[in-house]
């Protein structure tokens, strides 16, 4: 819990006339306290209903001021238990979470969402994995934050270099274990970018990260345009709304140990983003590939979802492919939609990977027979025109792998992978391992059936 919370909480809760909305907004200003309140409210046995408590206002009403005061009094204060370095990083991360929550609430109201506070809470806890590692003193997390916020490395590269695990996966596992509300959990899953409420959370998290990085991250324009599309706003009105929230947030920004954040310029916005830069190319890890193969050949095959998660994770972390997608095939709709993704948690636009299959497309051929393709300089002139233009615009690269995933005689989807940047080239060894792992995943699923 933040020191500011301890200073102000007792006075607020002692005011019998303080409305629940004001109390909920105060709690939302401290992600750790919000988490405690939410957990405690959902731990209370409900005699008359079984629905989870998904709003801080409802949680406050259920628990009452005395319980809220006790929860606040029992919590550790970050200033007392964290070292100066850890405290600075924790405060900054908490502030970024609060800004994301404010953005999400505003945008949900613009979009006429029935429960904006539910969307806001999901944004507040969207980078739960990061806050957890900071609170528990994991020494790797400061290195990760330096790489992302100072060196402007892409998050998946920073995770690969400094953490060895996905913060998105960690946050989702924690949300499941702690039985957090469905909206909180599902907004952490990349594939849910196709749903407006989850996309609102993801974009608020992204824009808050952009703001804390002084608008220097390379995905800024993509995220702003996607937000504008989501809210049916022009870019300039959206920027005015963001700046209005930043002005209000900056009044209390000192609570999070940071200086007032820069506003977005109203003019020349397209010129402020830095271009894509690659810090390094992901290296293959033979141990990860070997572990995956051991899972696929185990006497008792894993569940279907576990097989697919293992596949995309290994193609990303073991083979060293930056972005990996398993897209489910829907025969009746003649459509593919992203179901499991790796290396894309900071790209809400890419996470909406979905396409309708044309009769003459390369993808139609992949779905007709078990095969894998490597689009490269030798075949690009022939094959790229047969890839739907919307897909090429979405992925932004001209070199990539694709393979159909078959279970016995039935195709269930397509696996896509790339290195995101042409400066990190695909190679024959990676393609062969890619093909083999897709086939082995299909064989494992066939044994499961």
């Amino acid at each position: 819990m933040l020191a500011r919370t301890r200073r102000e909480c007792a006075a607020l809760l002692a005011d019998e006339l303080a409305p629940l909305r004001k109390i909920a907004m105060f709690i939302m200003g401290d992600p750790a306290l919000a988490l405690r309140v939410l957990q405690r409210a959902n731990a209370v046995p409900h005699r008359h209903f079984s629905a989870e408590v998904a709003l801080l206002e409802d949680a406050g009403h259920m628990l009452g001021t005395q319980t809220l005061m006790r929860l606040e009094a029992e919590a550790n204060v970050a200033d007392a238990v964290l070292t100066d370095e850890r405290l600075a990083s924790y405060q900054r991360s908490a502030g970024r979470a609060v800004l994301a929550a404010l953005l999400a609430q505003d945008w949900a109201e613009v979009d006429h969402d029935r429960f904006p506070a539910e969307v806001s809470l999901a944004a507040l806890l969207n980078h739960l994995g990061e806050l957890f590692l900071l609170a528990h003193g994991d020494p790797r997390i400061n290195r990760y934050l330096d790489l992302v916020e100072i060196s402007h490395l892409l998050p998946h590269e920073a995770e690969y270099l400094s953490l060895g695990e996905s913060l998105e996966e960690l946050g989702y596992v924690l949300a499941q274990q702690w039985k957090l509300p469905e909206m909180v959990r599902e907004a952490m899953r990349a594939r849910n970018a196709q749903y407006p409420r989850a996309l609102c959370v993801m974009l608020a998290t992204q824009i808050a990260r952009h703001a804390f990085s002084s608008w220097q991250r390379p995905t800024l324009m993509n995220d702003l345009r996607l937000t504008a599309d989501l809210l049916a706003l022009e870019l300039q009105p959206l920027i005015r709304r963001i700046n209005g929230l930043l002005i209000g947030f900056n009044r209390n920004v000192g609570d999070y140990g940071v200086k007032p954040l820069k506003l977005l310029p109203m003019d020349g916005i397209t010129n402020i983003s830095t271009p894509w830069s690659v810090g390094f190319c992901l290296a293959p890890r033979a141990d990860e590939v070997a572990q995956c193969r051991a899972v696929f050949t185990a006497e008792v095959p894993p569940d279907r979802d576990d097989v697919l998660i293992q596949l995309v994770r290994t193609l990303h972390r073991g083979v060293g492919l930056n972005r990996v997608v398993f897209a489910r095939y829907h025969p009746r709709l003649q459509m593919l939609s992203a179901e499991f993704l790796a290396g894309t948690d900071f790209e809400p636009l890419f996470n909406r990977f979905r396409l309708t299959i044309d009769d003459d497309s390369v993808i139609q051929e992949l779905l007709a027979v078990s095969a894998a393709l490597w689009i490269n300089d030798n075949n690009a002139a022939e094959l790229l025109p047969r890839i739907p233009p919307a897909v090429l615009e979405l992925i932004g690269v001209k070199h990539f792998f694709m393979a159909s995933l078959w279970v016995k005689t039935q195709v269930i989807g397509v696996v896509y992978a790339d290195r995101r940047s042409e400066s990190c080239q695909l190679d024959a060894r990676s393609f062969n391992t890619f093909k083999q792992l897709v086939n082995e995943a299909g064989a494992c699923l066939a044994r499961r059936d």
Side-chain angles (χ1 to χ4, degrees):
M1 186 179 69
L2 299 168
R4 160 257 186 189
T5 307
R6 171 105 346 140
R7 289 195 307 268
E8 302 175 13
C9 187
L12 175 64
L13 295 178
D15 181 1
E16 296 181 357
L17 298 179
L20 276 174
R21 179 175 173 80
K22 182 178 180 180
I23 294 173
M25 289 298 292
F26 174 81
I27 294 171
M28 193 176 73
D30 189 325
L33 180 60
L35 180 62
R36 289 175 66 86
V37 168
L38 199 61
Q39 288 178 298
R40 181 62 63 89
N42 277 301
V44 175
H46 307 311
R47 293 181 57 191
H48 302 296
F49 62 94
S50 59
E52 61 194 7
V53 179
L55 303 174
L56 287 176
E57 194 168 334
D58 290 347
H61 179 72
M62 176 180 292
L63 297 176
T65 56
Q66 293 302 312
T67 300
L68 292 176
M69 291 179 70
R70 188 163 59 251
L71 286 176
E72 179 272 327
E74 292 171 351
N76 290 323
V77 177
D79 304 57
V81 298
L82 301 180
T83 64
D84 289 346
E85 182 182 14
R86 284 172 55 198
L87 176 62
S89 295
Y90 178 80
Q91 287 176 317
R92 184 179 178 85
S93 183
R96 183 155 36 83
V98 172
L99 178 57
L102 294 172
L103 290 166
Q105 178 145 343
D106 180 62
W107 297 346
E109 290 171 353
V110 170
D111 206 33
H112 304 293
D113 190 275
R114 290 181 61 198
F115 300 106
E118 185 179 24
V119 179
S120 178
L121 180 61
L124 182 73
L125 300 177
N126 194 241
H127 58 268
L128 184 61
E130 180 180 313
L131 286 166
F132 177 82
L133 292 183
L134 283 167
H136 287 79
D138 192 306
R140 301 170 298 169
I141 191 64
N142 280 324
R143 173 62 173 157
Y144 165 81
L145 292 172
D146 285 346
L147 292 172
V148 171
E149 295 187 353
I150 298 175
S151 302
H152 302 300
L153 238 62
L154 301 176
H156 85 281
E157 293 178 351
E159 288 176 352
Y160 197 88
L161 186 65
S162 60
L163 293 176
E165 63 183 307
S166 165
L167 289 175
E168 182 184 53
E169 289 179 17
L170 174 61
Y172 183 71
V173 169
L174 291 172
Q176 284 186 306
Q177 290 181 349
W178 292 341
K179 296 180 172 58
L180 297 185
E182 181 181 18
M183 184 66 203
V184 174
R185 299 192 309 268
E186 293 307 310
M188 295 177 179
R189 308 190 78 178
R191 69 185 187 187
N192 289 330
Q194 61 184 300
Y195 302 112
R197 302 186 88 213
L199 180 61
C200 180
V201 171
M202 296 171 187
L203 287 169
T205 301
Q206 286 296 100
I207 297 300
R209 193 178 289 279
H210 287 301
F212 270 72
S213 296
S214 298
W215 311 107
Q216 293 301 307
R217 301 180 72 233
T219 57
L220 173 60
M221 285 312 303
N222 283 343
D223 293 334
L224 284 174
R225 290 191 180 106
L226 185 54
T227 304
D229 288 345
L230 175 68
L231 303 179
L233 291 175
E234 296 295 327
L235 205 54
Q236 295 301 317
L238 172 62
I239 293 173
R240 281 195 290 270
R241 296 194 75 92
I242 292 172
N243 284 343
L245 284 167
L246 283 173
I247 290 169
F249 178 78
N250 279 339
R251 296 191 187 106
N252 300 307
V253 74
D255 293 337
Y256 306 105
V258 295
K259 296 178 181 179
L261 304 176
K262 290 171 57 177
L263 302 186
L264 261 170
M266 295 299 297
D267 299 313
I269 181 67
T270 57
N271 298 322
I272 68 171
S273 290
T274 56
W276 282 106
S277 60
V278 179
F280 58 91
C281 301
L282 304 190
R285 293 175 170 172
D287 58 330
E288 295 259 1
V289 174
Q291 290 171 15
C292 176
R293 286 184 161 138
V295 169
F296 287 170
T297 57
E299 183 176 351
V300 179
D303 291 340
R304 169 197 168 278
D305 284 4
D306 291 337
V307 171
L308 296 172
I309 291 170
Q310 182 72 53
L311 174 63
V312 298
R313 177 184 172 86
T314 304
L315 290 174
H316 173 56
R317 299 193 54 78
V319 183
L321 300 169
N322 292 59
R323 297 187 297 192
V324 183
V325 181
F326 168 73
R328 164 70 55 184
Y329 176 46
H330 306 277
R332 185 175 62 82
L333 301 174
Q334 281 296 288
M335 184 182 70
L336 290 165
S337 62
E339 186 168 358
F340 296 103
L341 306 98
T344 69
D345 52 314
F346 64 98
E347 289 189 87
L349 180 62
F350 185 90
N351 292 337
R352 307 187 88 199
F353 193 103
R354 168 178 272 191
L355 62 101
T356 301
I357 300 159
D358 298 327
D359 291 339
D360 189 40
S361 72
V362 168
I363 297 166
Q364 178 66 48
E365 293 183 5
L366 276 179
L367 293 170
V369 63
S370 178
L373 282 176
W374 173 9
I375 309 297
N376 53 43
D377 288 337
N378 295 327
N379 58 23
E382 175 191 354
L383 297 181
L384 284 180
R386 298 181 57 215
I387 302 288
V391 175
L392 294 178
E393 182 179 357
L394 177 70
I395 62 179
V397 294
K398 296 180 179 178
H399 297 167
F400 50 88
F401 299 155
M402 296 185 79
S404 51
L405 179 55
W406 290 70
V407 179
K408 297 180 180 176
T409 60
Q410 182 180 5
V411 62
I412 65 169
V414 168
V415 182
Y416 168 94
D418 66 32
R419 283 193 178 271
R420 184 179 286 105
S421 170
E422 302 293 350
S423 60
C424 290
Q425 296 182 1
L426 298 167
D427 56 70
R429 180 177 179 180
S430 296
F431 182 55
N432 289 333
T433 308
F434 169 81
K435 286 192 300 183
Q436 292 165 6
L437 289 176
V438 171
N439 289 336
E440 290 166 19
C444 181
L445 290 170
R447 289 195 300 118
R448 182 78 195 177
D449 292 346

